[in-house]
Amino acid sequence: IALMLQDVTIQKKLQRDLVEKQAAIKSAYEELLKQNKQLKELDIAKNRFIALTTHELRTPLSAMIASSEVLKMGLFDTEEEMKEFIDMIYEQGHHLSALINDILDFAKIQAGKMDFYLGKKDAQSIVTDIVEAQMGVASNSNVSMTMKSQESEDFSCYLDEVRFKQVITNMVSNAIKYNVPNGTV
């Protein structure tokens, strides 16, 4: 009778290690696929953002170029018309500057470097000023705009005035811009 014994301890340990490594590789591969999908989605969002931004930048720039060409070629009849073209260039220049600032703010937010300066301010007076400033834009767009205010209440709160104005201005501007003819805000 021959008896043969074989120690399979090392073989079993290697087999367990191999199964663990395979599971780790599979998990890492699945995570890589997930991250790849997220990167593709971010790339699509980035491309949409660039396309939209380019369009938004072209609009005021085109108005500025057209107005300056009219001025350069002397294609205006009165001093009043000349002033209107100069005002157009000035307003569109500010609009273009605001768009560029928005893009820079977006980059700061993405990088986690956005600074906020909080202070106690009257939110209602800020909103009132913005609404009053946008009344002309609303009127030119055939949109009526009203604001109900609570004179007796205190609307003081801690906020970053620049960012708060930015948010409210964007909201009011979009409400006018994307409204229907003869609509209301």
Side-chain angles (χ1 to χ4, degrees):
I1 298 183
L3 182 62
M4 196 165 145
L5 295 172
Q6 184 177 5
D7 188 3
V8 292
T9 308
I10 293 175
Q11 185 179 3
K12 290 291 184 181
K13 181 180 180 327
L14 289 174
Q15 200 172 24
R16 269 195 319 269
D17 288 349
L18 181 62
V19 169
E20 287 175 9
K21 296 285 185 199
Q22 286 174 332
I25 289 170
K26 182 180 179 187
S27 176
Y29 177 72
E30 288 171 354
E31 181 63 28
L32 190 60
L33 288 177
K34 181 180 168 187
Q35 289 176 358
N36 189 30
K37 182 181 177 187
Q38 289 173 339
L39 286 173
K40 285 180 181 179
E41 290 170 358
L42 285 173
D43 192 47
I44 290 168
K46 176 196 61 133
N47 289 339
R48 273 193 226 131
F49 175 77
I50 289 171
L52 178 63
T53 302
T54 303
H55 174 74
E56 288 294 321
L57 292 174
R58 270 195 199 136
T59 303
L61 187 58
S62 296
M64 291 170 67
I65 290 170
S67 296
S68 63
E69 284 177 352
V70 167
L71 291 173
K72 184 176 181 180
M73 295 160 73
L75 300 175
F76 54 91
D77 295 324
T78 65
E79 290 289 319
E80 183 61 33
E81 282 183 4
M82 182 177 80
K83 183 184 177 316
E84 287 177 18
F85 286 113
I86 291 170
D87 288 345
M88 170 75 76
I89 293 169
Y90 179 79
E91 289 169 11
Q92 293 302 316
H94 278 284
H95 180 61
L96 189 58
S97 177
L99 289 171
I100 291 168
N101 287 336
D102 286 348
I103 293 167
L104 293 173
D105 287 347
F106 179 74
K108 286 179 187 176
I109 290 169
Q110 291 295 99
K113 297 186 188 276
M114 179 62 95
D115 295 323
F116 295 99
Y117 302 97
L118 299 179
K120 190 170 185 179
K121 303 286 181 181
D122 179 20
Q124 181 170 299
S125 68
I126 295 171
V127 172
T128 300
D129 291 346
I130 292 168
V131 169
E132 287 173 1
Q134 294 285 331
M135 286 290 192
V137 176
S139 178
N140 291 342
S141 300
N142 292 324
V143 172
S144 65
M145 195 160 60
T146 58
M147 180 175 164
K148 296 177 185 172
S149 60
Q150 303 287 329
E151 299 285 330
S152 61
E153 293 191 39
D154 179 27
F155 287 95
S156 294
C157 59
Y158 288 92
L159 52 86
D160 179 321
E161 186 172 358
V162 171
R163 302 296 168 222
F164 183 74
K165 283 181 178 180
Q166 197 173 23
V167 169
I168 300 302
T169 300
N170 286 344
M171 288 173 57
V172 173
S173 177
N174 285 341
I176 295 167
K177 185 176 181 179
Y178 299 107
N179 211 315
V180 295
N182 300 316
T184 60
V185 175

